[in-house]
Amino acid sequence: MLRYIGLILLSAFLGACNLGKWVPEGEYRLDDNEITVDGKDAPSAVNNIVKQKPAPKFANWVYTWGTPTDSSGFSRWVSDQGTPPTLLSIPLTERTSTQLGYYYFNKGYFLNKTSYELEIDTPRKAVDVHYRVELGSQYTIGKLEYEIPSPLIQELVLSDTANSLIRIGDPYSENQFEKERDRLARLFRNDGFFGFSSEWIRFRADTALGDHKVLLTLRVLDRPVRLLDTTYTVPHERYTIENIYVDYGFNYLDPNANYSDTVFYNGSDFLIRDEQTYHPHLITRAIHFSPGEQFNAEVIKDSYSHLSSLGVFGATEIEFTAASDTNEHALTAFIKLTPRSKRTLTTQIEGTNTSGQYGISGNIGWLNRNLFGAGEILDLSLLGGIQAQFNTRENSGLFNTYEIGAEAGLTFSRFLIPVSWQERFPKKWRPSTRIYTSLSQQTRVEFSRRIFKLGASFQAQLDEDWRAQVFIPEFNYVNLIDFDTSYVNSLFFKTGFQDVFISSSRIVVTYAPLSETTWLTKIFARGSLELSGNLLSLVDDNFQVDPETGQRKIFDVPYAQYIRADIDFRHYLKTSPNTRLVARVFAGVTYNYGNSRFLPPFEKNYLAGGSQDIRGWIAYRLGPGELSNTIYDEQNYAAVAPVKLMVNLEYRFPISGSLQGALFTDAGNVWLFNRDYRPEDFEGLTEAQIESAKFNWNTLFRSSALGTGFGLRYDFGFFQLRLDGGVKVWDPSEPLGYQFVLDGLRWETVTYNFALNYPF
């Protein structure tokens, strides 16, 4: 194996030495661009100005390995997978030099000078281009004046100067002027000035002040009006909405179809084409404006989003026209809604890989929209999967693990609470409620169990970036039908792996900006808080008691009592137009108490390892803490624990076309709480071994696993196929003094994770 890899690397080296092989005579391959500003390297953003960029080295090597002049064959196919060299173009080089001058001129360096120099390597047919920029002095804003003939606009601008993006003393910046132009245009459109265009906002700069200062004049032109062949301007006026017409059966293939009826409801006229299929309150709850209100573009945008989120309309359009000839500043709103198919059947099948065990899963779903006429969506699905589970016990065939289940859910486009309470929540939250239930059965070599779930959730889009979900209540009943005693003994949590009834409430808050805050960075965060068993504990005096554990039982199983909290934070940093550095921090705890005084339920703990986690370890095979995994049956080892900390760092970069690569580092582990436990919960473990599994700030770094690796991802557009190879660097389960394990790296020590989409 290593011999073949050596040959590939040798071929790559030889290809790298001959990248000019297919460069035509008299031409030069662009090898590198260098931009210096006043003798220093230019910021990375300046590289976007360059009109010609070198072909990626690896992709160019692939192109060189093949034979691009062949019409077909393997050699031509190899070349097609790569990228041909970029040939130097003097006109594009000169254009880049000119654009660099414009770029810094727009930043206030009016006297900048640009030049370029070619460094030619004739034997390699390669050239490096060195761009030089001498900035000179930067001009600043010395005085700001306004030229606004429309009285209403002038009043609004002068009252909003505290929010202006332009300040006296700031550097001259065309980019900042553009941001201020867009900000003012949004301000005007949100304050009744319908149809206001940012093109009507102009800036004029005069350097007559001297001392590298400019007199900046902000001009807002009057509204242009065209009448026949004549164009004139009028002062800007605010618009109000006079009428609202709703067509919820609009068809773009037959836009002029006749209406059979008109229904007036809550300020809006509903145009009925054939029959009334949607109750009007479904739509009026999603319309955030009313007749008589002043036009507000932000409110219109919120209405678009809300109507689209209902899930029953495929297209949404809101048009505004003049309401009448007598009042030119009154508007009529036409809301055109195209219904989606009432019923939809979906199927999905995919391969699975769980801890190295391969299988196949799929589901069949059926969707019924507008079930009761108010936008309700009923979804039903059947799920199933089979998997090959390999272990030391006897197997009953290749696929010896099965899972089958059914789910049902009903979604309402409102909170299912009294009507008087609904009005207390703003429409822009786009509230919805979902009632759901599921029943599934898992049959594995070690155990068989049924899981029943019933719950309700409330969702709200608090603003553009924040979303909240509240699950009240959610019931889970886990029933162990059969299990292998030796498997349960191999689990770290024996008491946690049992029949259990979970009655919980949960809130999940997500921060996920739809657009990046800047071109460089993006942040994602999700926090969750879950409580279980507290209400039952108030009324459990009449529940039966388990004589062995002392736990109170409901439906003949103990109920769980715990608090669970976790946070998932991710930071995406764009280091160049095609590369990203992504960091993730995850922290979670499940604290059991009361009726779960021993251990939390198995499902409510945390695991470490696997394709989405610490990729040098197989899922369930890491931790807790420094506990050695040699005490477990290697085939059945399954570790979970109530405390988890994890940090991931991943650098993503293009390789060739849709093929991308990643270098990653993962660190973290799961731990026990530093508290007393029953010896029978950890049969066969010494007190010292239990102590090694507990969380301790003093041993945090020593007891955390560290792994690294390389990944390949192929982007199909709507999903990515991912293969990550992770290796262990620091293994806390090894004895002290032997925890650094990277020096023992071999091919068989690499953990391969095959999955879909990015891990985070």
Side-chain angles (χ1 to χ4, degrees):
M1 181 67 175
L2 293 176
R3 181 189 307 170
Y4 295 120
I5 293 177
L7 290 174
I8 293 174
L9 294 176
L10 178 61
S11 299
F13 174 76
L14 294 175
C17 297
N18 196 24
L19 291 179
K21 179 179 180 181
W22 301 107
V23 175
E25 197 64 37
E27 301 279 1
Y28 292 95
R29 174 180 57 84
L30 179 60
D31 194 47
D32 191 24
N33 290 313
E34 180 193 64
I35 305 175
T36 57
V37 180
D38 285 345
K40 300 179 180 179
D41 291 340
S44 58
V46 178
N47 292 319
N48 295 327
I49 298 173
V50 179
K51 302 302 178 185
Q52 255 198 326
K53 297 183 180 179
K57 285 288 193 300
F58 181 81
N60 202 181
W61 293 343
V62 174
Y63 180 87
T64 304
W65 292 342
T67 308
T69 55
D70 289 352
S71 59
S72 60
F74 178 75
S75 293
R76 174 56 187 265
W77 178 86
V78 172
S79 288
D80 289 343
Q81 306 314 303
T83 303
T86 301
L87 302 180
L88 176 70
S89 167
I90 295 298
L92 290 179
T93 303
E94 292 177 345
R95 185 178 171 190
T96 296
S97 181
T98 302
Q99 288 295 114
L100 285 169
Y102 290 154
Y103 175 81
Y104 281 103
F105 182 93
N106 291 337
K107 286 183 171 293
Y109 297 98
F110 297 155
L111 305 177
N112 76 78
K113 297 179 181 179
T114 61
S115 61
Y116 69 89
E117 179 184 347
L118 303 180
E119 182 182 342
I120 299 176
D121 185 341
T122 303
R124 296 175 56 239
K125 295 184 179 181
V127 61
D128 293 344
V129 183
H130 302 278
Y131 296 95
R132 307 279 187 263
V133 181
E134 298 176 16
L135 293 178
S137 299
Q138 186 178 30
Y139 281 72
T140 60
I141 300 172
K143 189 176 182 181
L144 178 62
E145 294 183 346
Y146 299 94
E147 190 177 298
I148 307 174
S150 294
L152 294 177
I153 292 288
Q154 183 182 50
E155 179 185 2
L156 184 56
V157 171
L158 296 180
S159 65
D160 192 61
T161 54
N163 297 316
S164 175
L165 302 179
I166 301 174
R167 296 281 190 272
I168 302 298
D170 285 352
Y172 178 96
S173 172
E174 292 280 358
N175 184 51
Q176 197 71 355
F177 299 161
E178 188 64 31
K179 291 180 180 179
E180 176 68 359
R181 181 183 289 113
D182 292 339
R183 187 192 72 84
L184 287 173
R186 287 195 303 271
L187 175 69
F188 300 153
R189 288 193 291 265
N190 292 341
D191 203 64
F193 295 97
F194 168 72
F196 190 95
S197 171
S198 60
E199 297 298 320
W200 300 338
I201 302 175
R202 309 283 176 84
F203 288 94
R204 183 175 62 225
D206 191 338
T207 59
L209 291 179
D211 195 25
H212 300 106
K213 297 183 184 297
V214 299
L215 167 61
L216 187 68
T217 303
L218 189 157
R219 305 170 60 211
V220 181
L221 306 180
D222 277 348
R223 185 183 187 92
V225 177
R226 184 175 181 84
L227 181 62
L228 299 178
D229 295 332
T230 304
T231 301
Y232 60 96
T233 60
V234 297
H236 293 280
E237 298 288 346
R238 290 186 172 91
Y239 285 73
T240 58
I241 298 170
E242 188 172 286
N243 307 300
I244 301 175
Y245 292 96
V246 179
D247 181 357
Y248 55 64
F250 186 78
N251 187 342
Y252 284 95
L253 299 178
D254 188 14
N256 299 317
N258 294 325
Y259 306 107
S260 60
D261 196 6
T262 302
V263 175
F264 183 78
Y265 182 85
N266 201 18
S268 300
D269 288 288
F270 286 80
L271 308 176
I272 312 301
R273 292 183 181 270
D274 298 318
E275 59 181 10
Q276 185 173 336
T277 53
Y278 298 93
H279 195 286
H281 69 66
L282 165 68
I283 299 167
T284 56
R285 281 198 303 264
I287 301 174
H288 297 194
F289 54 91
S290 303
E293 291 183 355
Q294 187 173 279
F295 176 85
N296 186 320
E298 188 67 27
V299 171
I300 306 303
K301 178 183 175 183
D302 290 339
S303 300
Y304 264 113
S305 299
H306 199 161
L307 287 165
S308 299
S309 70
L310 295 177
V312 293
F313 300 111
T316 301
E317 185 178 355
I318 304 178
E319 292 183 348
F320 288 92
T321 61
S324 63
D325 296 334
T326 58
N327 186 356
E328 60 179 332
H329 299 122
L331 298 171
T332 292
F334 287 92
I335 301 177
K336 302 174 181 178
L337 305 172
T338 302
R340 301 181 68 177
S341 300
K342 183 174 178 60
R343 297 176 182 87
T344 302
L345 183 67
T346 62
T347 59
Q348 182 179 0
I349 188 169
E350 63 180 2
T352 62
N353 177 7
T354 305
S355 303
Q357 299 167 4
Y358 297 91
I360 188 171
S361 68
N363 67 69
I364 300 175
W366 182 76
L367 215 62
N368 189 321
R369 300 181 179 90
N370 199 37
L371 183 63
F372 303 125
E376 301 86 358
I377 300 177
L378 173 67
D379 60 275
L380 305 173
S381 60
L382 294 175
L383 306 94
I386 55 177
Q387 191 175 77
Q389 183 185 357
F390 304 106
N391 54 34
T392 57
R393 303 188 224 287
E394 65 278 1
N395 294 315
S396 55
L398 175 60
F399 293 106
N400 48 18
T401 298
Y402 310 90
E403 182 170 1
I404 188 170
E407 294 183 358
L410 184 60
T411 302
F412 301 84
S413 60
R414 62 190 185 280
F415 288 154
L416 283 185
I417 55 178
V419 175
S420 59
W421 294 8
Q422 293 181 20
E423 298 174 354
R424 300 179 185 180
F425 299 97
K427 286 185 175 183
K428 66 183 304 180
W429 280 15
R430 290 181 258 160
S432 64
T433 304
R434 175 175 165 81
I435 300 174
Y436 54 90
T437 184
S438 66
L439 176 63
S440 63
Q441 177 163 327
Q442 298 174 336
T443 301
R444 298 172 60 90
V445 172
E446 309 95 341
F447 65 85
S448 297
R449 64 176 180 171
R450 292 193 186 100
I451 302 175
F452 173 75
K453 179 184 293 186
L454 175 65
S457 64
F458 301 85
Q459 295 86 33
Q461 189 75 38
L462 303 181
D463 64 17
E464 185 175 343
D465 300 332
W466 291 89
R467 179 175 178 82
Q469 294 175 280
V470 179
F471 297 80
I472 302 178
E474 183 174 270
F475 302 107
N476 285 269
Y477 174 66
V478 181
N479 175 217
L480 277 172
I481 306 170
D482 188 22
F483 60 88
D484 187 326
T485 305
S486 61
Y487 170 75
V488 175
N489 287 335
S490 74
L491 296 175
F492 195 76
F493 276 177
K494 301 175 181 63
T495 308
F497 196 77
Q498 62 179 7
D499 290 352
V500 67
F501 178 76
I502 301 174
S503 172
S504 64
S505 299
R506 177 163 45 107
I507 181 171
V508 180
V509 179
T510 304
Y511 175 72
L514 297 178
S515 58
E516 298 182 357
T517 52
T518 70
W519 81 279
L520 284 173
T521 185
K522 185 176 181 179
I523 289 175
F524 170 91
R526 176 182 290 124
S528 173
L529 178 65
E530 181 176 348
L531 299 171
S532 176
N534 294 325
L535 293 178
L536 289 177
S537 68
L538 299 177
V539 295
D540 71 354
D541 289 343
N542 296 321
F543 294 171
Q544 59 179 313
V545 179
D546 188 316
E548 294 185 8
T549 64
Q551 291 177 287
R552 298 282 181 172
K553 290 186 173 183
I554 182 173
F555 307 125
D556 202 33
V557 296
Y559 70 86
Q561 195 170 3
Y562 61 84
I563 179 171
R564 188 177 197 261
D566 53 52
I567 185 167
D568 185 354
F569 177 84
R570 308 171 192 179
H571 188 193
Y572 301 82
L573 179 65
K574 187 184 291 186
T575 52
S576 77
N578 298 313
T579 61
R580 284 179 183 261
L581 183 64
V582 186
R584 176 175 67 170
V585 177
F586 180 90
V589 295
T590 302
Y591 187 81
N592 58 288
Y593 57 93
N595 207 52
S596 294
R597 64 179 70 91
F598 309 120
L599 295 167
F602 187 82
E603 291 80 4
K604 297 301 178 179
N605 289 281
Y606 299 96
L607 65 93
S611 63
Q612 311 290 112
D613 207 276
I614 302 175
R615 285 160 280 185
W617 280 260
I618 296 175
Y620 293 100
R621 297 297 181 92
L622 172 60
E626 298 178 85
L627 185 69
S628 174
N629 59 22
T630 59
I631 65 172
Y632 296 98
D633 181 330
E634 288 295 331
Q635 298 300 323
N636 296 324
Y637 177 51
V640 294
V643 180
K644 181 174 183 176
L645 288 175
M646 180 177 64
V647 177
N648 307 92
L649 191 65
E650 183 167 291
Y651 179 68
R652 300 169 182 169
F653 54 89
I655 295 179
S656 178
S658 297
L659 182 64
Q660 301 176 354
L663 296 172
F664 58 83
T665 298
D666 307 319
N669 206 338
V670 292
W671 293 267
L672 288 177
F673 274 112
N674 195 356
R675 60 196 290 191
D676 294 331
Y677 296 94
R678 301 186 314 168
E680 56 265 35
D681 287 326
F682 307 105
E683 184 179 343
L685 297 188
T686 66
E687 185 175 342
Q689 289 172 327
I690 297 175
E691 287 297 319
S692 70
K694 293 182 179 180
F695 181 85
N696 191 317
W697 286 109
N698 296 328
T699 61
L700 173 62
F701 292 104
R702 190 182 73 198
S703 62
S704 296
L706 177 65
T708 188
F710 174 76
L712 294 174
R713 292 86 191 274
Y714 194 88
D715 192 347
F716 288 92
F718 53 94
F719 75 94
Q720 295 82 34
L721 201 60
R722 174 166 59 93
L723 176 63
D724 288 334
V727 297
K728 301 174 183 178
V729 177
W730 181 270
D731 189 349
S733 69
E734 296 292 337
L736 290 177
Y738 297 90
Q739 293 170 311
F740 181 77
V741 295
L742 188 60
D743 53 358
L745 177 63
R746 300 180 305 279
W747 286 114
E748 57 266 26
T749 64
V750 179
T751 300
Y752 296 100
N753 295 280
F754 181 76
L756 298 179
N757 299 323
Y758 293 114
F760 47 86

